[in-house]
Structures are given as structure tokens and as C-alpha cells.
Amino acid sequence: MFQPVGPVILAIESSCDETSAAVIRNGKVLNNIIASQAVHQKYGGVVPELASRAHQRNMVMVVEEALTSAGISLTEVDALAFTRGPGLMGSLLVGVSFVKGLALALNKPLIEVNHMRAHVLAHFIDDPKPTFPFLCLTVSGGHTQLIVVNDYLDMEVIGETQDDAVGEAFDKAAKIMGLPYPGGPMIDQYAQSGNPKAYVFSKTSMPGFDFSFSGIKTAFLYFIRDERKKNPAFVEENLNDICASIQHHLVTMLTEKLVQASEQTGINRIAIAGGVSANSGLRNTLKQLAKTHNWDLFIPAFEYCTDNAGMIAMAAHYQYQKGIFSTLDVSPLARMPI
Ligand code: KG4
Ligand code: ZN
């Protein structure tokens, strides 16, 4: 039987330190090419200027690879999608300029995508897919948001961090202990054989479903400084327990709000997105909570949790269906509401 071929969209992502391109056809993500920027490692965090330069170096390469591996030529592309924001201004500018040039040369429409909305829509790339409404906790190096998702393009942020993101707190804690960047995965690794109750940190309470992570960053800094005064080898001798304890603290801060949000909204379909959703402590806690609270839990594959163009392509697909396009005047937005 004749199968109509849906739109082909080429999507790019360049909001922070991953340069990525993906092709989606008829709602199916065909690939997801990611060039990660190792250049930031020695600085202990993302250096915006270096990120922009690396995007510029890698963009053509990832786009060519996405097209080649999908077996699609540029003339077959129906629309070009890109991350408009939020993100680092220089990094976004590289992506926006590149995609505008292509749109102009090919005379194809542009689709601007909100990066945070795309993190949520990553849940529709593979099965199982959540049904609406669901609650999504988006946790990464740049974001911590609790979102009620009513439909593909209808979302409401009910809580978010008022200062740092939870990924930043993981990375900062790791840096204080002398672990390399990004420290989140290292803390996760050492925490596996540590006691999560070995050290207890005081809690910061925030109204509603909002979060704050700047207090725990400072508290952890002073804790390590004071313990090192008593024993200079404190971190080295207790690394597993320290990692397990700080991880437990951060995970509890996230999951307490999630439980409250589920109870207050009556929504028991729970999804997580963003780089920190790779954290095994968070995953295990959520799996336990899913049992005790009767939740349906959705965790995308890791390649779609961290920044990637596959999720931008997925969001663009739904916008294309609704005829939501942008003009060539579009400019990046470092801060952009969902
Ligand atoms: O989504 P992502 O790749 O980029 C941003 O948009 O920020 O998230 C990166 C963040 C970093 O802070 C990194 O330390 C954290 O995700 N991360 C983790 C783990 N894997 C990545 N944090 C804790 N445990 C992990 N296993
Ligand atoms: Zn992100």
C-alpha cells in the first residue's frame, strides 16, 4: 500500500557545549549526531567563548553526517529547525546564523525550538511514550524545572530553581573535592559504594515547587574546608561516603518536590529529562517512589537525556504539524519562557 512520506526536517542544537544535528522524517528520528566539546574539561566548566568556537568548527561536520547517515540530500529537506533558546548567547548565535544561511540558500522554512520544551518532547522519540497530562522534572547543568505537560505544545512550568541548576550543584561539589569536570557522573560512580547517611547537610526550604541549590553549594564548600582543617586527607579517605551523602541530599531535594507536585496535581505519570536524569541515585529513588506512589515512570534513553538535536527535531515535528514557523528575522534568546 502507498505510504505517504511525511515532512523531512533537519534540526540542529547548539545551546551549550554539544554541537548536534538530527534528521526526522514523518515523526521518526532517523539519527542523532553529537559532537561533545572536550575543550572545557581543563577549565572545570563550560567556557562560553570556547563553546562558540567549537560549535563553529563542528557544525558543518555534524550536519553532513546527519544527512549522509539518513540518506537524505539537502534538497529533500522540507524545513530547518534550530534551538532559539535558552542557552549561551554566543553558542546559540552560531546555530541560528548557520541555519538562517541554509534556509535562505534552500528557500525552506525555519522552525525555532525552545530548548526546555524539546527536553520534555524527547519522551516521544522512542517507546514507551507518556500520555497527557504528565509531570516532567527537567534536570541538567543549566536547568531544574518541574513542568505540567498538557499536550505536545502546551506546557506549564510549576516550579524551577531560583538560582543554580542541580547539575551545577553536582559539578561544583565535585570540583570542591578536586574531581574533574563534569563531576556529576564521578559523584554518581563513587556514591555507588558509599553510605548516603554518612554526612547530613541542612535543608533549604523554598515555597511551592521552586528549588534553590546555591545554599547547599556553599554549605558543602565550608563542610569540606572545615573537615580538611582537621584531616587534610579527609576527602581521599572518605570519598565514597561523601559522594553518596551529597548525592542523597540533592536527589531528596528533587524528589520531595516531585512527590508534592504529584499529590497536588493528582498526576501520577512522571517523566524525567536532562543530563542529571542519568544519575543512578535519582533513578533508583524514582523507581522506589513509583512503587509506593503507584507512578508510571518515563526515563528516555541517555542519548536523548543530555543535549541533543533529536529532541529539537521531535519538537519541530509537532510545530510543523501546527504550521508554527519563524521568519528570517528570528534572533537567539538566552532566556526564553517555555
Ligand atoms: O543536559 P546536559 O548534558 O547539559 C545541560 O543542558 O546542562 O546535562 C549536563 C549535566 C552536568 O551538570 C553533569 O554533571 C550532569 O548533567 N550529569 C550527572 C550525571 N550525568 C550527567 N549528574 C549526576 N549524575 C550523573 N550520572
Ligand atoms: Zn539542556
Side-chain angles (χ1 to χ4, degrees):
M1 208 181 85
F2 173 72
Q3 287 279 326
V5 177
V8 175
I9 304 170
L10 169 66
I12 62 160
E13 151 67 27
S14 71
S15 64
C16 189
D17 61 343
E18 318 278 1
T19 318
S20 181
V23 175
I24 188 167
R25 182 171 53 203
N26 207 12
K28 184 163 176 31
V29 174
L30 301 183
N31 53 30
N32 184 38
I33 312 298
I34 303 172
S36 297
Q37 303 179 359
V39 65
H40 308 288
Q41 249 159 27
K42 61 173 179 269
Y43 300 101
V46 177
V47 183
E49 176 61 18
L50 295 180
S52 313
R53 292 180 197 199
H55 284 305
Q56 207 171 17
R57 267 197 313 277
N58 295 337
M59 188 58 80
V60 172
M61 189 179 68
V62 295
V63 165
E64 278 180 347
E65 202 176 323
L67 290 168
T68 313
S69 73
I72 300 266
S73 71
L74 265 181
T75 50
E76 291 171 272
V77 170
D78 296 303
L80 298 150
F82 65 98
T83 307
R84 185 175 183 198
L88 299 172
M89 185 47 92
S91 293
L92 293 167
L93 257 174
V94 175
V96 176
S97 315
F98 176 84
V99 89
K100 270 192 194 179
L102 260 187
L104 207 55
L106 299 169
N107 197 22
K108 302 285 173 165
L110 277 176
I111 303 175
E112 61 176 85
V113 172
N114 181 310
H115 181 86
M116 301 312 296
R117 181 187 278 186
H119 266 302
V120 175
L121 294 176
H123 286 93
F124 296 92
I125 297 176
D126 287 331
D127 287 328
K129 300 176 174 77
T131 52
F132 301 112
F134 65 92
L135 274 176
C136 186
L137 176 70
T138 308
V139 279
S140 75
H143 348 278
T144 308
Q145 284 190 334
L146 199 44
I147 303 161
V148 174
V149 187
N150 295 311
D151 205 341
Y152 300 111
L153 305 178
D154 176 7
M155 303 179 189
E156 189 194 345
V157 178
I158 57 167
E160 62 190 328
T161 181
Q162 295 303 310
D163 40 56
D164 305 320
V166 65
E168 248 177 294
F170 266 105
D171 295 340
K172 185 73 198 290
K175 195 173 177 180
I176 292 166
M177 291 186 283
L179 299 175
Y181 175 86
M186 309 279 299
I187 291 191
D188 190 357
Q189 198 185 323
Y190 288 114
Q192 316 249 340
S193 28
N195 171 11
K197 307 255 167 78
Y199 307 101
V200 178
F201 306 100
S202 55
K203 284 191 182 167
T204 334
S205 85
M206 289 295 286
F209 303 123
D210 283 341
F211 302 92
S212 165
F213 293 98
S214 61
I216 179 61
K217 268 173 40 178
T218 314
F220 189 75
L221 177 74
Y222 292 158
F223 163 72
I224 296 292
R225 183 198 61 186
D226 295 347
E227 291 298 329
R228 271 184 174 144
K229 273 187 200 153
K230 292 182 246 163
N231 170 13
F234 171 72
V235 169
E236 292 70 22
E237 285 171 10
N238 301 284
L239 191 56
N240 294 342
D241 284 349
I242 305 170
C243 288
S245 301
I246 186 70
Q247 176 169 298
H248 175 72
H249 183 86
L250 295 172
V251 167
T252 307
M253 284 174 83
L254 295 172
T255 50
E256 275 181 0
K257 293 277 171 163
L258 195 52
V259 170
Q260 279 170 28
S262 169
E263 280 168 358
Q264 280 195 31
T265 59
I267 301 172
N268 70 348
R269 278 178 295 275
I270 309 292
I272 50 167
V276 179
S277 55
N279 184 267
S280 56
L282 178 61
R283 283 176 180 235
N284 291 338
T285 308
L286 287 174
K287 282 179 195 156
Q288 278 166 16
L289 287 169
K291 276 191 204 146
T292 49
H293 290 73
N294 209 14
W295 287 351
D296 273 340
L297 192 60
F298 299 89
I299 308 177
F302 183 61
E303 85 170 288
Y304 299 124
C305 282
T306 54
D307 289 349
N308 70 90
M311 68 184 195
I312 304 299
M314 202 68 243
H317 168 77
Y318 295 115
Q319 291 181 214
Y320 188 103
Q321 286 187 328
K322 294 250 174 200
I324 305 172
F325 297 100
S326 0
T327 64
L328 274 171
D329 301 336
V330 69
S331 54
L333 278 179
R335 293 188 174 273
M336 194 176 170
I338 210 160

Short mmCIF file of all heavy atoms in Angstrom, two decimals, residues 232-292:
data_model
loop_
_atom_site.label_atom_id
_atom_site.label_comp_id
_atom_site.label_asym_id
_atom_site.label_seq_id
_atom_site.Cartn_x
_atom_site.Cartn_y
_atom_site.Cartn_z
N PRO A 232 43.75 16.63 56.57
CA PRO A 232 43.98 17.04 55.18
C PRO A 232 43.59 15.95 54.17
O PRO A 232 43.30 16.27 53.02
CB PRO A 232 45.48 17.34 55.12
CG PRO A 232 45.87 17.60 56.54
CD PRO A 232 44.95 16.79 57.40
N ALA A 233 43.57 14.69 54.61
CA ALA A 233 43.22 13.60 53.68
C ALA A 233 41.75 13.20 53.80
O ALA A 233 41.35 12.12 53.36
CB ALA A 233 44.12 12.40 53.93
N PHE A 234 40.93 14.09 54.42
CA PHE A 234 39.52 13.75 54.68
C PHE A 234 38.79 13.29 53.41
O PHE A 234 38.12 12.26 53.40
CB PHE A 234 38.79 14.95 55.30
CG PHE A 234 37.31 14.75 55.40
CD1 PHE A 234 36.78 13.87 56.34
CD2 PHE A 234 36.43 15.42 54.54
CE1 PHE A 234 35.39 13.67 56.43
CE2 PHE A 234 35.07 15.22 54.63
CZ PHE A 234 34.55 14.34 55.57
N VAL A 235 38.95 14.05 52.33
CA VAL A 235 38.21 13.72 51.10
C VAL A 235 38.68 12.37 50.54
O VAL A 235 37.86 11.49 50.24
CB VAL A 235 38.36 14.84 50.05
CG1 VAL A 235 37.82 14.40 48.69
CG2 VAL A 235 37.63 16.10 50.51
N GLU A 236 39.97 12.21 50.42
CA GLU A 236 40.53 10.99 49.85
C GLU A 236 40.12 9.76 50.67
O GLU A 236 39.79 8.71 50.12
CB GLU A 236 42.06 11.07 49.78
CG GLU A 236 42.58 12.10 48.78
CD GLU A 236 42.34 13.56 49.20
OE1 GLU A 236 42.16 13.82 50.41
OE2 GLU A 236 42.30 14.44 48.31
N GLU A 237 40.11 9.91 52.01
CA GLU A 237 39.81 8.76 52.87
C GLU A 237 38.31 8.43 52.93
O GLU A 237 37.92 7.31 53.28
CB GLU A 237 40.32 9.02 54.29
CG GLU A 237 41.83 8.90 54.38
CD GLU A 237 42.37 9.37 55.73
OE1 GLU A 237 41.57 9.62 56.66
OE2 GLU A 237 43.61 9.51 55.83
N ASN A 238 37.46 9.42 52.57
CA ASN A 238 36.01 9.20 52.73
C ASN A 238 35.22 9.50 51.46
O ASN A 238 34.03 9.79 51.52
CB ASN A 238 35.48 10.10 53.86
CG ASN A 238 36.18 9.82 55.18
OD1 ASN A 238 35.89 8.82 55.83
ND2 ASN A 238 37.10 10.67 55.54
N LEU A 239 35.90 9.42 50.31
CA LEU A 239 35.29 9.87 49.06
C LEU A 239 33.94 9.22 48.76
O LEU A 239 32.97 9.91 48.41
CB LEU A 239 36.27 9.63 47.89
CG LEU A 239 35.90 10.28 46.57
CD1 LEU A 239 35.70 11.78 46.73
CD2 LEU A 239 36.98 10.00 45.52
N ASN A 240 33.85 7.91 48.93
CA ASN A 240 32.59 7.21 48.61
C ASN A 240 31.44 7.71 49.48
O ASN A 240 30.34 7.98 48.98
CB ASN A 240 32.74 5.70 48.78
CG ASN A 240 33.72 5.12 47.78
OD1 ASN A 240 34.03 5.76 46.78
ND2 ASN A 240 34.23 3.93 48.06
N ASP A 241 31.71 7.83 50.80
CA ASP A 241 30.65 8.27 51.72
C ASP A 241 30.24 9.73 51.45
O ASP A 241 29.06 10.07 51.52
CB ASP A 241 31.11 8.14 53.18
CG ASP A 241 31.07 6.69 53.65
OD1 ASP A 241 30.52 5.84 52.93
OD2 ASP A 241 31.61 6.42 54.75
N ILE A 242 31.24 10.58 51.15
CA ILE A 242 30.91 12.00 50.90
C ILE A 242 30.04 12.09 49.64
O ILE A 242 29.03 12.79 49.60
CB ILE A 242 32.18 12.87 50.73
CG1 ILE A 242 33.11 12.74 51.94
CG2 ILE A 242 31.80 14.33 50.53
CD1 ILE A 242 34.49 13.39 51.75
N CYS A 243 30.47 11.36 48.58
CA CYS A 243 29.72 11.41 47.32
C CYS A 243 28.30 10.87 47.52
O CYS A 243 27.33 11.46 47.03
CB CYS A 243 30.43 10.61 46.23
SG CYS A 243 31.91 11.43 45.64
N ALA A 244 28.18 9.76 48.24
CA ALA A 244 26.85 9.17 48.46
C ALA A 244 25.97 10.13 49.25
O ALA A 244 24.78 10.27 48.98
CB ALA A 244 26.99 7.84 49.20
N SER A 245 26.56 10.86 50.22
CA SER A 245 25.77 11.76 51.07
C SER A 245 25.30 12.99 50.31
O SER A 245 24.13 13.38 50.43
CB SER A 245 26.58 12.19 52.29
OG SER A 245 26.96 11.06 53.04
N ILE A 246 26.20 13.61 49.53
CA ILE A 246 25.78 14.81 48.80
C ILE A 246 24.77 14.42 47.70
O ILE A 246 23.80 15.13 47.45
CB ILE A 246 27.00 15.63 48.25
CG1 ILE A 246 26.53 16.95 47.62
CG2 ILE A 246 27.84 14.87 47.25
CD1 ILE A 246 26.03 17.97 48.59
N GLN A 247 25.00 13.27 47.08
CA GLN A 247 24.05 12.81 46.05
C GLN A 247 22.67 12.57 46.67
O GLN A 247 21.65 13.00 46.13
CB GLN A 247 24.58 11.53 45.41
CG GLN A 247 23.61 10.92 44.41
CD GLN A 247 24.25 9.82 43.59
OE1 GLN A 247 25.21 10.05 42.87
NE2 GLN A 247 23.75 8.60 43.72
N HIS A 248 22.66 11.92 47.82
CA HIS A 248 21.40 11.64 48.52
C HIS A 248 20.67 12.95 48.83
O HIS A 248 19.46 13.06 48.63
CB HIS A 248 21.70 10.86 49.80
CG HIS A 248 20.50 10.61 50.65
ND1 HIS A 248 19.51 9.73 50.29
CD2 HIS A 248 20.11 11.16 51.83
CE1 HIS A 248 18.57 9.74 51.22
NE2 HIS A 248 18.91 10.59 52.17
N HIS A 249 21.44 13.95 49.31
CA HIS A 249 20.85 15.24 49.65
C HIS A 249 20.20 15.89 48.42
O HIS A 249 19.06 16.34 48.47
CB HIS A 249 21.93 16.16 50.23
CG HIS A 249 21.42 17.48 50.70
ND1 HIS A 249 20.90 17.67 51.95
CD2 HIS A 249 21.33 18.67 50.06
CE1 HIS A 249 20.51 18.93 52.08
NE2 HIS A 249 20.76 19.56 50.93
N LEU A 250 20.95 15.93 47.30
CA LEU A 250 20.43 16.59 46.08
C LEU A 250 19.23 15.84 45.51
O LEU A 250 18.24 16.45 45.10
CB LEU A 250 21.55 16.71 45.03
CG LEU A 250 22.73 17.62 45.43
CD1 LEU A 250 23.87 17.52 44.42
CD2 LEU A 250 22.27 19.07 45.58
N VAL A 251 19.32 14.52 45.52
CA VAL A 251 18.22 13.71 44.99
C VAL A 251 16.96 13.90 45.84
O VAL A 251 15.85 14.03 45.32
CB VAL A 251 18.63 12.21 44.92
CG1 VAL A 251 17.43 11.31 44.69
CG2 VAL A 251 19.68 12.01 43.82
N THR A 252 17.14 13.98 47.17
CA THR A 252 15.99 14.18 48.06
C THR A 252 15.34 15.54 47.80
O THR A 252 14.10 15.66 47.78
CB THR A 252 16.43 14.08 49.54
OG1 THR A 252 17.12 12.84 49.70
CG2 THR A 252 15.25 14.12 50.49
N MET A 253 16.17 16.57 47.56
CA MET A 253 15.62 17.90 47.27
C MET A 253 14.71 17.84 46.04
O MET A 253 13.66 18.48 45.98
CB MET A 253 16.74 18.91 47.00
CG MET A 253 17.46 19.36 48.25
SD MET A 253 18.87 20.41 47.85
CE MET A 253 18.07 21.99 47.66
N LEU A 254 15.13 17.07 45.04
CA LEU A 254 14.34 16.96 43.80
C LEU A 254 13.08 16.13 44.01
O LEU A 254 11.98 16.53 43.62
CB LEU A 254 15.18 16.30 42.70
CG LEU A 254 16.40 17.06 42.20
CD1 LEU A 254 17.23 16.19 41.26
CD2 LEU A 254 16.00 18.35 41.48
N THR A 255 13.25 14.98 44.63
CA THR A 255 12.12 14.04 44.68
C THR A 255 11.04 14.48 45.68
O THR A 255 9.88 14.18 45.48
CB THR A 255 12.61 12.60 44.98
OG1 THR A 255 13.45 12.64 46.12
CG2 THR A 255 13.36 12.03 43.81
N GLU A 256 11.44 15.23 46.72
CA GLU A 256 10.42 15.72 47.67
C GLU A 256 9.42 16.62 46.94
O GLU A 256 8.21 16.51 47.15
CB GLU A 256 11.09 16.49 48.82
CG GLU A 256 11.54 15.56 49.93
CD GLU A 256 12.18 16.29 51.11
OE1 GLU A 256 12.29 17.55 51.09
OE2 GLU A 256 12.59 15.59 52.04
N LYS A 257 9.95 17.50 46.09
CA LYS A 257 9.06 18.42 45.35
C LYS A 257 8.22 17.65 44.33
O LYS A 257 7.07 17.99 44.08
CB LYS A 257 9.90 19.48 44.61
CG LYS A 257 10.61 20.42 45.54
CD LYS A 257 9.70 21.56 46.02
CE LYS A 257 10.37 22.35 47.12
NZ LYS A 257 9.82 23.65 47.40
N LEU A 258 8.82 16.63 43.75
CA LEU A 258 8.11 15.84 42.75
C LEU A 258 6.91 15.11 43.39
O LEU A 258 5.81 15.09 42.84
CB LEU A 258 9.09 14.83 42.14
CG LEU A 258 8.71 14.12 40.86
CD1 LEU A 258 8.29 15.10 39.79
CD2 LEU A 258 9.90 13.30 40.35
N VAL A 259 7.14 14.56 44.58
CA VAL A 259 6.05 13.87 45.30
C VAL A 259 4.93 14.86 45.61
O VAL A 259 3.76 14.60 45.37
CB VAL A 259 6.59 13.20 46.59
CG1 VAL A 259 5.45 12.70 47.46
CG2 VAL A 259 7.54 12.07 46.26
N GLN A 260 5.32 16.06 46.12
CA GLN A 260 4.31 17.09 46.44
C GLN A 260 3.53 17.48 45.20
O GLN A 260 2.31 17.61 45.23
CB GLN A 260 5.00 18.36 46.96
CG GLN A 260 5.41 18.33 48.41
CD GLN A 260 6.29 19.55 48.73
OE1 GLN A 260 6.19 20.59 48.10
NE2 GLN A 260 7.19 19.38 49.68
N ALA A 261 4.24 17.66 44.09
CA ALA A 261 3.58 18.10 42.84
C ALA A 261 2.62 17.03 42.35
O ALA A 261 1.51 17.33 41.90
CB ALA A 261 4.64 18.40 41.78
N SER A 262 3.03 15.77 42.47
CA SER A 262 2.16 14.68 42.02
C SER A 262 0.91 14.64 42.90
O SER A 262 -0.21 14.48 42.40
CB SER A 262 2.93 13.35 42.10
OG SER A 262 2.05 12.29 41.93
N GLU A 263 1.10 14.81 44.22
CA GLU A 263 -0.06 14.76 45.12
C GLU A 263 -1.01 15.93 44.86
O GLU A 263 -2.22 15.75 44.79
CB GLU A 263 0.41 14.78 46.58
CG GLU A 263 0.86 13.39 47.01
CD GLU A 263 1.61 13.36 48.34
OE1 GLU A 263 1.82 14.44 48.94
OE2 GLU A 263 1.99 12.25 48.76
N GLN A 264 -0.44 17.12 44.68
CA GLN A 264 -1.31 18.31 44.50
C GLN A 264 -2.00 18.35 43.15
O GLN A 264 -3.12 18.84 43.05
CB GLN A 264 -0.49 19.58 44.69
CG GLN A 264 -0.30 19.87 46.16
CD GLN A 264 0.19 21.30 46.40
OE1 GLN A 264 -0.13 22.21 45.66
NE2 GLN A 264 0.98 21.47 47.43
N THR A 265 -1.35 17.85 42.10
CA THR A 265 -1.97 17.91 40.76
C THR A 265 -2.79 16.65 40.48
O THR A 265 -3.58 16.64 39.55
CB THR A 265 -0.90 18.03 39.66
OG1 THR A 265 -0.02 16.90 39.75
CG2 THR A 265 -0.10 19.31 39.76
N GLY A 266 -2.53 15.59 41.25
CA GLY A 266 -3.21 14.32 41.01
C GLY A 266 -2.67 13.59 39.77
O GLY A 266 -3.29 12.66 39.28
N ILE A 267 -1.51 14.04 39.30
CA ILE A 267 -0.92 13.40 38.10
C ILE A 267 0.08 12.34 38.57
O ILE A 267 0.99 12.64 39.34
CB ILE A 267 -0.21 14.44 37.21
CG1 ILE A 267 -1.21 15.52 36.75
CG2 ILE A 267 0.46 13.77 36.01
CD1 ILE A 267 -0.58 16.69 36.01
N ASN A 268 -0.08 11.12 38.09
CA ASN A 268 0.86 10.07 38.51
C ASN A 268 1.69 9.50 37.35
O ASN A 268 2.32 8.46 37.50
CB ASN A 268 0.14 8.96 39.29
CG ASN A 268 -0.76 8.14 38.40
OD1 ASN A 268 -1.02 8.54 37.26
ND2 ASN A 268 -1.22 7.01 38.89
N ARG A 269 1.67 10.21 36.22
CA ARG A 269 2.63 9.86 35.15
C ARG A 269 3.81 10.81 35.30
O ARG A 269 3.64 12.03 35.19
CB ARG A 269 1.99 10.00 33.76
CG ARG A 269 1.15 8.81 33.36
CD ARG A 269 0.51 9.04 32.02
NE ARG A 269 -0.44 10.14 32.09
CZ ARG A 269 -1.71 10.01 32.49
NH1 ARG A 269 -2.18 8.83 32.81
NH2 ARG A 269 -2.51 11.07 32.54
N ILE A 270 4.98 10.25 35.61
CA ILE A 270 6.14 11.06 35.96
C ILE A 270 7.26 10.81 34.95
O ILE A 270 7.62 9.65 34.68
CB ILE A 270 6.65 10.69 37.38
CG1 ILE A 270 5.50 10.71 38.41
CG2 ILE A 270 7.83 11.56 37.79
CD1 ILE A 270 4.92 12.06 38.73
N ALA A 271 7.82 11.90 34.43
CA ALA A 271 8.92 11.77 33.46
C ALA A 271 10.11 12.58 33.95
O ALA A 271 9.93 13.58 34.63
CB ALA A 271 8.44 12.29 32.11
N ILE A 272 11.32 12.12 33.59
CA ILE A 272 12.48 12.96 33.87
C ILE A 272 13.27 13.17 32.60
O ILE A 272 13.27 12.34 31.69
CB ILE A 272 13.41 12.44 35.00
CG1 ILE A 272 13.79 10.97 34.79
CG2 ILE A 272 12.83 12.68 36.35
CD1 ILE A 272 14.94 10.55 35.71
N ALA A 273 13.94 14.31 32.54
CA ALA A 273 14.72 14.67 31.35
C ALA A 273 15.95 15.44 31.79
O ALA A 273 16.04 15.88 32.93
CB ALA A 273 13.86 15.53 30.44
N GLY A 274 16.92 15.60 30.88
CA GLY A 274 18.14 16.35 31.19
C GLY A 274 19.26 15.44 31.67
O GLY A 274 19.02 14.30 32.08
N GLY A 275 20.49 15.95 31.60
CA GLY A 275 21.69 15.16 31.89
C GLY A 275 21.69 14.49 33.26
O GLY A 275 22.15 13.35 33.41
N VAL A 276 21.14 15.16 34.28
CA VAL A 276 21.17 14.61 35.64
C VAL A 276 20.23 13.39 35.76
O VAL A 276 20.34 12.60 36.69
CB VAL A 276 20.85 15.71 36.69
CG1 VAL A 276 20.85 15.15 38.10
CG2 VAL A 276 21.85 16.85 36.59
N SER A 277 19.33 13.21 34.80
CA SER A 277 18.46 12.03 34.89
C SER A 277 19.24 10.74 34.66
O SER A 277 18.70 9.65 34.83
CB SER A 277 17.25 12.15 33.95
OG SER A 277 17.64 12.38 32.65
N ALA A 278 20.52 10.87 34.28
CA ALA A 278 21.38 9.68 34.18
C ALA A 278 21.80 9.22 35.58
O ALA A 278 22.30 8.09 35.74
CB ALA A 278 22.63 10.02 33.38
N ASN A 279 21.62 10.06 36.58
CA ASN A 279 22.12 9.73 37.92
C ASN A 279 21.43 8.49 38.50
O ASN A 279 20.21 8.43 38.60
CB ASN A 279 21.90 10.94 38.85
CG ASN A 279 22.48 10.70 40.20
OD1 ASN A 279 21.80 10.24 41.11
ND2 ASN A 279 23.76 10.97 40.35
N SER A 280 22.25 7.52 38.90
CA SER A 280 21.66 6.26 39.33
C SER A 280 20.92 6.40 40.66
O SER A 280 19.92 5.72 40.88
CB SER A 280 22.71 5.15 39.39
OG SER A 280 23.75 5.56 40.22
N GLY A 281 21.39 7.32 41.52
CA GLY A 281 20.68 7.57 42.79
C GLY A 281 19.29 8.11 42.51
O GLY A 281 18.30 7.68 43.14
N LEU A 282 19.18 9.03 41.57
CA LEU A 282 17.88 9.62 41.23
C LEU A 282 16.98 8.54 40.60
O LEU A 282 15.81 8.41 40.95
CB LEU A 282 18.08 10.80 40.27
CG LEU A 282 16.80 11.49 39.78
CD1 LEU A 282 16.00 12.08 40.93
CD2 LEU A 282 17.14 12.62 38.78
N ARG A 283 17.56 7.78 39.69
CA ARG A 283 16.76 6.73 39.01
C ARG A 283 16.23 5.71 40.02
O ARG A 283 15.06 5.34 39.98
CB ARG A 283 17.61 6.01 37.96
CG ARG A 283 17.78 6.83 36.72
CD ARG A 283 18.70 6.13 35.74
NE ARG A 283 18.82 6.97 34.56
CZ ARG A 283 18.56 6.58 33.31
NH1 ARG A 283 18.19 5.36 33.07
NH2 ARG A 283 18.69 7.41 32.30
N ASN A 284 17.11 5.27 40.93
CA ASN A 284 16.69 4.26 41.90
C ASN A 284 15.61 4.80 42.84
O ASN A 284 14.63 4.13 43.15
CB ASN A 284 17.88 3.74 42.72
CG ASN A 284 18.82 2.93 41.85
OD1 ASN A 284 18.41 2.42 40.79
ND2 ASN A 284 20.09 2.83 42.23
N THR A 285 15.81 6.05 43.29
CA THR A 285 14.82 6.65 44.18
C THR A 285 13.47 6.76 43.46
O THR A 285 12.42 6.47 44.04
CB THR A 285 15.28 8.05 44.65
OG1 THR A 285 16.59 7.92 45.18
CG2 THR A 285 14.37 8.64 45.70
N LEU A 286 13.51 7.18 42.18
CA LEU A 286 12.26 7.32 41.43
C LEU A 286 11.58 5.97 41.24
O LEU A 286 10.35 5.87 41.31
CB LEU A 286 12.54 7.97 40.07
CG LEU A 286 12.87 9.47 40.12
CD1 LEU A 286 13.27 9.98 38.74
CD2 LEU A 286 11.68 10.27 40.64
N LYS A 287 12.39 4.94 41.02
CA LYS A 287 11.79 3.60 40.84
C LYS A 287 11.10 3.15 42.14
O LYS A 287 10.01 2.57 42.10
CB LYS A 287 12.87 2.59 40.43
CG LYS A 287 13.21 2.70 38.94
CD LYS A 287 14.29 1.73 38.54
CE LYS A 287 14.85 2.13 37.18
NZ LYS A 287 16.21 1.64 36.95
N GLN A 288 11.73 3.45 43.27
CA GLN A 288 11.10 3.10 44.56
C GLN A 288 9.82 3.90 44.77
O GLN A 288 8.78 3.36 45.16
CB GLN A 288 12.05 3.40 45.72
CG GLN A 288 13.08 2.30 45.93
CD GLN A 288 14.21 2.78 46.84
OE1 GLN A 288 14.09 3.80 47.51
NE2 GLN A 288 15.33 2.06 46.83
N LEU A 289 9.89 5.21 44.47
CA LEU A 289 8.71 6.07 44.64
C LEU A 289 7.59 5.62 43.70
O LEU A 289 6.41 5.70 44.07
CB LEU A 289 9.07 7.53 44.35
CG LEU A 289 9.92 8.22 45.42
CD1 LEU A 289 10.43 9.57 44.92
CD2 LEU A 289 9.10 8.44 46.69
N ALA A 290 7.96 5.17 42.52
CA ALA A 290 6.96 4.72 41.55
C ALA A 290 6.17 3.56 42.14
O ALA A 290 4.95 3.47 41.97
CB ALA A 290 7.64 4.31 40.25
N LYS A 291 6.87 2.70 42.88
CA LYS A 291 6.19 1.55 43.50
C LYS A 291 5.27 2.01 44.62
O LYS A 291 4.09 1.65 44.67
CB LYS A 291 7.23 0.58 44.09
CG LYS A 291 7.78 -0.37 43.05
CD LYS A 291 8.60 -1.46 43.73
CE LYS A 291 9.59 -2.02 42.73
NZ LYS A 291 10.85 -2.43 43.34
N THR A 292 5.80 2.86 45.53
CA THR A 292 5.00 3.24 46.69
C THR A 292 3.87 4.22 46.33
O THR A 292 2.85 4.25 47.00
CB THR A 292 5.87 3.86 47.81
OG1 THR A 292 6.69 4.86 47.20
CG2 THR A 292 6.76 2.85 48.48
#
